[in-house]
């Protein structure tokens, strides 16, 4: 295996199936693979052992995960996160509390041996119709997002885990989901500089170790292609203008925003030429991984990718690994941080109190794929612990009966059918309690509770308030 092949392997961060390392991944690590990404499908009580298994093959491997807190969790996907998401933290607007939460998320990852957290999302949720950021953002203004991005980064990295500011240069003003198509940000250059870039600038000044590129078309910056593949955006803007010298990683290259344009190997080469250092390939086979490696090697050999650029990228991946290995951080457990944040994030109109078991109608429950569809989750489960006999249904039934009714909704402001369901429930039962887990709309029902996010602790906080 030549150094060129090993350099090409060093910039790849694939996902894989199973809770133990497959043979092909072990071989790839011995061939110089620089990273691996964990998803909920890889998580088990033995996750720390899995990470150790990867490190046994390559001690420098960067093990990454998406652990934002709130709705985006991998380590706690089956039971829900112990920490509310970014919007809840932004609503509370206590940077010391955000740093505490970030430190506890970092502690959770450090105990598992993870190198890199693909968080926080530092996108400014400027467009209320955004289908993919929403509650994953600290809020709708750059000042709010910037100060909490800094606090979160400081917290995670205080635990010895690298943070990653995403999705550069800002995914907050889109009406499309880059998992499904290529979104376009139509903002002017002045608007981008005033609104979307300040949180990234603040995170960079705070020493964030990594930045994730977005699969977005931003004509004001580069009309030719998505940010992930744009040298103008990743080298000209991020590196040269904003001065970021850490590791740049792509969002997953199987996302249709870029996957519909080019095959994986070409995406990798174009991203490296743009200034990316690590290629996240969440869904890839052994054969596919080596095809990407070979495409990178071929590009160097035919002159379409400079070997110096590849070596620079591999060096930044190694530098992040070495930073992680040099950390000796001991973070004390702060078990109350998540629930405190969730309680303080509740916004409430009305004074209802539950004393008997309710019917919980979850009209658009968001299940992680790791959760069985019949498993009670969220508010129904939290209320069931406090009021045995609580029942849950997935749609508004034709008969509501006499028991208290709690209607759980998500992002009613974005979905007319959800608003219609709320109106129908209020018409039939004026005493209905409405719990909004997304971005709040106009309060409705006898009592309206906005949790400002989806998490185990957000549900627990709402349940405790209702049964106070």
């Amino acid at each position: 295996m030549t150094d060129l092949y090993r350099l090409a392997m060093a910039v790849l961060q694939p996902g894989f199936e199973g809770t133990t390392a497959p043979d092909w991944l072990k071989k790839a690590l011995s061939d110089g693979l620089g990273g691996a990404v964990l998803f909920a499908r890889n998580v088990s009580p033995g996750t720390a052992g899995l990470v150790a298994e990867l490190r046994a093959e390559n001690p420098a491997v960067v093990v990454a995960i998406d652990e934002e807190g709130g709705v985006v969790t991998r380590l706690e996907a089956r039971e829900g996160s112990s920490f509310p998401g970014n919007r809840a933290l932004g609503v509370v607007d206590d940077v010391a509390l955000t740093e505490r939460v970030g430190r506890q998320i970092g502690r959770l990852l450090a105990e598992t041996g993870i190198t890199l957290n693909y968080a926080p999302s530092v996108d400014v949720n400027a467009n209320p119709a955004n289908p993919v950021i929403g509650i994953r953002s600290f809020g709708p203004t750059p000042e709010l997002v910037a100060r909490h991005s800094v606090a979160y980064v400081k917290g995670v990295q205080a635990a010895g885990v690298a943070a990653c500011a995403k999705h550069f240069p800002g995914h907050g003003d889109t009406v499309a989901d880059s998992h499904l198509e290529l979104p376009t940000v139509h903002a002017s250059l002045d608007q981008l500089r005033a609104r979307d870039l300040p949180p990234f600038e603040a995170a960079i000044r705070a020493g964030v170790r990594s930045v994730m590129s977005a699969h977005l078309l931003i004509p004001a910056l580069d009309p030719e292609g998505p940010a992930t593949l744009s040298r103008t955006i990743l080298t000209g803007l991020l590196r040269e203008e904003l001065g970021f010298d850490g590791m740049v990683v792509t969002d997953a290259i199987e996302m249709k925003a870029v996957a519909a344009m080019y095959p994986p190997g070409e995406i990798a080469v174009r991203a490296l030429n743009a200034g990316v250092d690590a290629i996240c390939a969440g869904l890839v086979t052994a054969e596919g991984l080596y095809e990407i490696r070979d495409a990178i090697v071929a590009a160097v050999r035919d002159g379409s990718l400079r070997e110096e650029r590849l070596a620079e990228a591999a060096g930044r991946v190694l530098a992040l690994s070495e930073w992680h290995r040099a950390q000796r951080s001991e973070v004390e457990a702060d078990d109350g941080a998540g629930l405190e944040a969730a309680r303080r994030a509740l916004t409430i109109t009305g004074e209802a109190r539950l004393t008997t078991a309710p019917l919980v109608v979850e009209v658009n429950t968001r299940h992680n794929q790791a959760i069985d569809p019949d498993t009670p989750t969220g508010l129904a489960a939290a209320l069931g612990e406090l009021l045995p006999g609580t029942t849950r249904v997935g749609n508004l039934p034709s008969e509501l009966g006499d028991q208290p009714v709690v209607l759980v909704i998500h992002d009613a402001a974005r979905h007319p059918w959800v608003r219609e369901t709320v109106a129908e429930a209020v018409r039939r039962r004026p005493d209905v309690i409405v719990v909004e887990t997304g971005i709040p709309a106009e309060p409705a029902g006898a009592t309206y509770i906005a949790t400002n996010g989806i998490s185990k602790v957000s549900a627990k906080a709402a349940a405790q308030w209702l049964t106070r």
Side-chain angles (χ1 to χ4, degrees), residues 45 47-49 51-52 55 75 103-115 159-161 324 329-335:
T47 302
V51 174
R55 291 235 161 81
L75 291 181
R103 191 178 293 112
Q104 291 306 301
I105 290 174
R107 182 177 70 88
L108 184 69
L109 301 185
E111 289 175 350
T112 313
I114 287 165
T115 317
V161 175
H324 170 73
S329 303
E330 293 290 335
V331 174
E332 291 185 5
D334 182 5
D335 295 333

Side-chain angles (χ1 to χ4, degrees), residues 281-327:
L283 295 173
V284 68
T285 62
E287 181 182 38
L289 179 69
Y290 281 88
E291 285 176 355
I292 297 172
R293 180 204 68 176
D294 291 348
I296 294 170
V297 170
V300 172
R301 288 179 171 165
D302 70 19
S304 57
L305 174 65
R306 291 185 305 109
E307 186 172 349
E308 294 81 4
R309 169 77 272 272
L310 178 60
E312 177 185 57
R316 287 203 180 103
V317 174
L318 182 59
L320 187 142
S321 173
E322 289 176 342
W323 175 87
H324 170 73
R325 287 192 286 175
Q327 303 305 301

